[in-house]
Amino acid sequence: MNKDSHILITGGAGFIGSALVKIFNNRGIQNLILCDTFHNKEKIRNLEGKQYTTQVEADQLFEYLQQDRRIGLIFHFGAKAGAYAMDKQALEKYNMEYSQKIWDYATLKQIPLIYATTGATYGSGTFGFKDDVSTLMKLNPVNEYARSKHRFDLWANSQKKSPPFWAGLKFFNVYGPNEYHKGRRASMVYHCYRQIVEKGYATLFGSFNPAIADGEYKRDLVYLKDVLDICFWFYDQIRQNHKKLSSGIFNVGTGIPVSFNEIAFAVFSALKKEVGIQYQPIPEDIRNGYPEISYADTGKLRSSGYNPPFTPLVEGVADYVRNYLIPKRYF
């Protein structure tokens, strides 16, 4: 990619997108075009002090791109979730059709594309968590948001025409600074912190399976700073024209599942408070297909050349709680 070209980041004011702006700024890169919906004041605080070229409202992006824009790389991290999670029409429009338009633009202009998908596409984990095409074809996500992301993954893998390089990053449970605006969709670490500070104890899901103790469902928690390191690593591979890197879907997680209890313990430890946990039933509407365990198979990412270790849970939570949540700092 040309050093004078711009990097387009959709979801640029969001959790991962805004932190990615900071990573680029730290490396002297400011030629960034940010696309998002910029009316959320809490979300916009994610961008304070950051340097970029321009903001583009999400519904005006394709009109903006009709002009001759010098874009060398696209990070497509914008999506509909949260309040839209059960709105099939909105999910189809934004998570499928909007993403297809970005793909088509990147293909037409021959721009490398990195887009966000989710580990939730693995559903209950019946077919494992391997990011290969044979597994992809079998998956059956258990909620509408994950299904919308899965449909695009399938579509992308079926295209005969594609960007010169593309990567779908399957983010597992990302936690870290700049998620203040996410509300219910914020990480378990964030919610545990808020509960402990406000009530003195954490509330976790109990178990409806006699074989699993309360709080012992397990997830793969990956620290935001590790996610950003992976994103920048892909950028570096593209910038250096490393043609050995193959396009496709890549799991982004530590590969190490941790229990809900372990997550809460890490937050109590970071706060230097005595552990206090209460358990509540898992809501009936999400019990069907609720995974007992999920974790990223990181074999493809590692074999592609990404070697740095992931931040251990206790270290990541301590950094997040003490350096960001307590002082309410942004990344």
Side-chain angles (χ1 to χ4, degrees):
M1 57 183 290
N2 190 298
K3 66 177 182 178
D4 296 322
S5 60
H6 285 77
I7 298 169
L8 170 63
I9 305 175
T10 73
F15 174 32
I16 299 175
S18 64
L20 186 60
V21 174
K22 178 66 172 178
I23 288 295
F24 279 121
N25 285 177
N26 288 348
R27 290 160 173 80
I29 300 169
Q30 300 180 8
N31 53 334
L32 309 171
I33 299 169
L34 308 188
C35 172
D36 210 313
T37 51
F38 295 96
H39 60 269
N40 185 326
K41 292 182 180 179
E42 187 73 7
K43 183 164 68 171
I44 293 305
R45 292 192 64 185
N46 289 338
L47 295 176
E48 288 182 2
K50 296 177 174 65
Q51 303 300 315
Y52 49 91
T53 302
T54 191
Q55 294 180 355
V56 182
E57 287 290 334
D59 61 0
Q60 298 173 11
L61 177 62
F62 298 106
E63 180 181 349
Y64 175 84
L65 292 176
Q66 285 179 358
Q67 303 178 42
D68 188 19
R69 305 295 177 184
R70 299 174 66 183
I71 297 174
L73 174 61
I74 299 173
F75 283 92
H76 177 38
F77 286 177
K80 287 295 183 185
Y84 297 91
M86 297 301 293
D87 187 334
K88 292 184 181 180
Q89 186 174 359
L91 292 171
E92 182 69 18
K93 178 179 179 180
Y94 292 102
N95 293 0
M96 184 66 177
E97 295 172 8
Y98 196 93
S99 297
Q100 288 173 327
K101 287 183 179 181
I102 288 178
W103 176 283
D104 290 342
Y105 177 80
T107 300
L108 176 66
K109 299 294 186 179
Q110 286 295 281
I111 301 169
L113 170 65
I114 298 172
Y115 75 89
T117 179
T118 172
T121 57
Y122 290 108
S124 62
T126 302
F127 300 104
F129 303 94
K130 196 170 180 62
D131 47 5
D132 58 22
V133 175
S134 61
T135 300
L136 179 71
M137 303 301 293
K138 301 174 185 176
L139 300 181
N140 183 27
V142 297
N143 63 62
E144 291 300 333
Y145 168 73
R147 290 187 192 110
S148 72
K149 302 297 279 186
H150 181 54
R151 284 196 296 274
F152 182 73
D153 289 341
L154 290 170
W155 182 88
N157 271 274
S158 71
Q159 297 308 294
K160 294 181 179 179
K161 294 182 179 180
S162 65
F165 172 79
W166 65 272
L169 303 186
K170 277 202 176 187
F171 296 127
F172 276 67
N173 298 73
V174 185
Y175 69 97
N178 294 19
E179 62 172 331
Y180 301 108
H181 66 283
K182 294 185 68 175
R184 290 182 63 187
R185 294 184 301 113
S187 71
M188 188 178 296
V189 175
Y190 178 81
H191 285 301
C192 280
Y193 167 80
R194 290 291 302 272
Q195 292 168 359
I196 294 165
V197 169
E198 294 172 6
K199 299 185 293 186
Y201 60 88
T203 303
L204 306 179
F205 282 155
S207 175
F208 61 90
N209 182 343
I212 300 175
D214 287 341
E216 287 300 310
Y217 289 90
K218 295 184 177 182
R219 299 292 182 266
D220 188 335
L221 264 69
V222 56
Y223 194 28
L224 175 65
K225 293 182 180 180
D226 292 332
V227 168
L228 299 174
D229 192 58
I230 291 169
C231 291
F232 195 83
W233 179 82
F234 274 102
Y235 160 78
D236 225 20
Q237 303 305 298
I238 293 167
R239 184 178 62 85
Q240 297 179 38
N241 199 25
H242 285 190
K243 294 185 177 180
K244 291 183 179 180
L245 187 63
S246 299
S247 295
I249 290 176
F250 296 82
N251 284 336
V252 177
T254 67
I256 302 173
V258 294
S259 71
F260 296 173
N261 285 326
E262 289 177 276
I263 296 165
F265 294 161
V267 179
F268 278 108
S269 176
L271 288 168
K272 298 181 179 179
K273 290 182 178 291
E274 185 176 344
V275 174
I277 298 174
Q278 295 185 9
Y279 299 99
Q280 64 181 17
I282 298 176
E284 293 282 351
D285 62 335
I286 66 171
R287 286 189 183 188
N288 184 30
Y290 192 75
E292 296 176 2
I293 186 172
S294 67
Y295 59 92
D297 181 322
T298 60
K300 184 190 290 187
L301 183 65
R302 294 304 196 190
S303 64
S304 297
Y306 182 80
N307 297 314
F310 288 95
T311 306
L313 177 71
V314 172
E315 292 181 19
V317 169
D319 181 57
Y320 180 28
V321 169
R322 295 171 185 170
N323 296 320
Y324 298 96
L325 288 178
I326 291 175
K328 199 172 182 182
R329 285 182 55 235
Y330 290 77
F331 183 81

